[in-house]
Amino acid sequence: MASCCENLTSHFQSFRECFRSKTRSTAEQAEQYLRGLFQSPRANLEQMSETVAETEYYSLHHMLSDAAWDFENVRRETARQADEWIGGPETGLLLDESGVQKKGDHSAGVARQYNGRLGKVENSQVGVYAALARGSQAAIIDFELFLPERWVEDAKRCQEAGIPESARVFRTKYLSRNKLYKFKPMAGWCSSIHHETRSVLCELYRVHHQSRVCLSRRCWYPSPPQFLGLLVWWWQQSN
């Protein structure tokens, strides 16, 4: 863990441009947030501001909630580095959903829905994750938050939660065909429990759905739907 913290600054260099806009940069706050995920006993902003040197609660809150950083490029760079690290013909592309239990009804996409991690219906946020895995190594490369139909039908609620209009579309719990096509060159085999996803994957890997034997491996998915948190988890695995 200590070596990860020491090397984090150099590793973060390739992501710094993702946190720059025409008028300001929140790269410093983003790096402080990553350090906070490493160093704080509990991953909340109050403890991060107390644990990480020269860190302020309100600047971290602004970076996460209001700053216009380039989420898509963070996601693309993470996938590129993961592919460079463990991609190849022996690598598996794993797709599955994961949920995090939530209180209240203000967090984006939260609803009473099936939470696979708990094995029951609970008030939760649910996302669909894609990961590369090879042997004991694994890295999250993408995810999408599942937006329940009741959210899609409530424009005011979506607006209050900061969900852009382009994302207010009800989709079943699987990653888009375009994303799966993009990930296909990174892996030699695939695994998914969802019928819709399996159909697309079997098309990509040119096998019949009925005859495809997908390899089964255990893979742990981090629960918070924050890609910066996933970035830290990936960095821990690679060190």
Side-chain angles (χ1 to χ4, degrees):
M1 181 66 76
S3 64
C4 288
C5 291
E6 291 174 3
N7 295 323
L8 182 59
T9 298
S10 60
H11 174 71
F12 186 67
Q13 290 303 314
S14 59
F15 292 92
R16 294 189 75 87
E17 286 299 319
C18 302
F19 296 91
R20 288 197 178 99
S21 65
K22 292 182 179 179
T23 57
R24 65 175 298 179
S25 170
T26 56
E28 193 68 29
Q29 289 73 33
E31 185 177 339
Q32 290 170 343
Y33 179 75
L34 295 181
R35 290 186 179 278
L37 292 176
F38 275 112
Q39 299 174 17
S40 301
R42 299 182 63 186
N44 59 57
L45 298 187
E46 290 85 354
Q47 289 209 4
M48 289 180 188
S49 60
E50 295 171 359
T51 305
V52 181
E54 301 179 1
T55 300
E56 295 181 353
Y57 169 86
Y58 291 106
S59 62
L60 292 180
H61 188 276
H62 171 76
M63 186 276 295
L64 285 178
S65 302
D66 301 313
W69 51 277
D70 193 340
F71 172 79
E72 289 299 331
N73 271 339
V74 171
R75 184 152 54 177
R76 277 193 288 269
E77 177 63 12
T78 301
R80 185 195 68 77
Q81 292 191 21
D83 182 31
E84 186 178 89
W85 173 42
I86 59 172
E90 299 301 316
T91 299
L93 173 63
L94 310 181
L95 300 112
D96 198 2
E97 67 179 70
S98 185
V100 55
Q101 190 174 3
K102 299 285 288 187
K103 294 182 179 179
D105 57 3
H106 297 294
S107 299
V110 69
R112 283 192 59 80
Q113 53 190 320
Y114 182 75
N115 185 322
R117 295 178 68 239
L118 301 178
K120 60 180 179 178
V121 174
E122 272 291 351
N123 207 54
S124 306
Q125 285 176 308
V126 173
V128 182
Y129 293 80
L132 294 181
R134 187 178 68 191
S136 62
Q137 300 173 315
I140 300 289
I141 58 173
D142 205 352
F143 82 92
E144 288 184 1
L145 178 69
F146 173 67
L147 201 61
E149 197 167 4
R150 70 194 75 172
W151 271 83
V152 175
E153 296 170 349
D154 193 335
K156 181 181 178 183
R157 192 180 185 189
C158 287
Q159 184 176 2
E160 290 173 348
I163 301 173
E165 290 188 22
S166 60
R168 299 174 194 175
V169 179
F170 176 71
R171 301 183 180 92
T172 54
K173 297 179 183 176
Y174 71 101
L175 292 173
S176 70
R177 179 181 296 264
N178 289 340
K179 287 189 175 184
L180 296 180
Y181 270 90
K182 180 178 66 176
F183 298 147
K184 194 259 183 182
M186 301 180 183
W189 55 271
C190 58
S191 179
S192 176
I193 64 172
H194 290 283
H195 176 79
E196 297 94 335
T197 305
R198 285 202 305 268
S199 298
V200 177
L201 290 176
C202 289
E203 174 187 324
L204 291 180
Y205 286 86
R206 299 182 183 278
V207 294
H208 294 293
H209 189 189
Q210 289 80 4
S211 63
R212 177 58 172 164
V213 179
C214 290
L215 301 183
S216 176
R217 298 188 181 183
R218 295 181 64 83
C219 183
W220 173 73
Y221 296 98
S223 58
Q226 292 285 351
F227 209 71
L228 288 176
L230 299 180
L231 176 60
V232 164
W233 178 80
W234 170 82
W235 176 238
Q236 287 173 318
Q237 303 300 306
S238 62
N239 282 267

